[in-house]
């Protein structure tokens, strides 16, 4: 899957996991482990999506 610039920015907001490949694994804001290639996969244990606070805009700080 080719990432859009927005997807790349959100992925880069994830925290790196010591000892893991930063291009594959990250931690989200809730400390859940996410896997890069599982974007949009709601059935995956490590899937992730881009969300925002309603009425907060689409600025990267709100994604």
């Amino acid at each position: 899957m080719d990432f859009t610039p927005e997807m790349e920015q959100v992925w880069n907001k994830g925290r790196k996991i010591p000892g893991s490949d930063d291009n594959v694994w990250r931690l989200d804001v809730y400390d859940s482990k996410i896997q890069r290639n599982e974007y949009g996969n709601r059935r995956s244990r490590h899937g992730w999506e881009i969300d925002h606070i309603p009425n907060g805009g689409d600025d990267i700080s709100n994604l």
Side-chain angles (χ1 to χ4, degrees), residues 7-58:
M7 291 164 69
E8 192 68 41
Q9 285 183 310
V10 172
W11 174 256
N12 287 329
K13 285 180 68 173
R15 291 191 325 282
K16 295 178 179 179
I17 303 170
S20 295
D21 185 340
D22 299 340
N23 296 309
V24 177
W25 296 102
R26 297 282 173 114
L27 292 175
D28 69 10
V29 68
Y30 300 107
D31 289 331
S32 295
K33 203 171 180 182
I34 58 174
Q35 189 174 13
R36 184 179 174 97
N37 67 349
E38 291 296 324
Y39 176 80
N41 185 353
R42 291 181 175 200
R43 293 183 178 176
S44 172
R45 180 175 172 193
H46 302 294
W48 60 287
E49 294 180 324
I50 297 174
D51 200 2
H52 66 281
I53 298 169
N55 300 322
D58 290 332

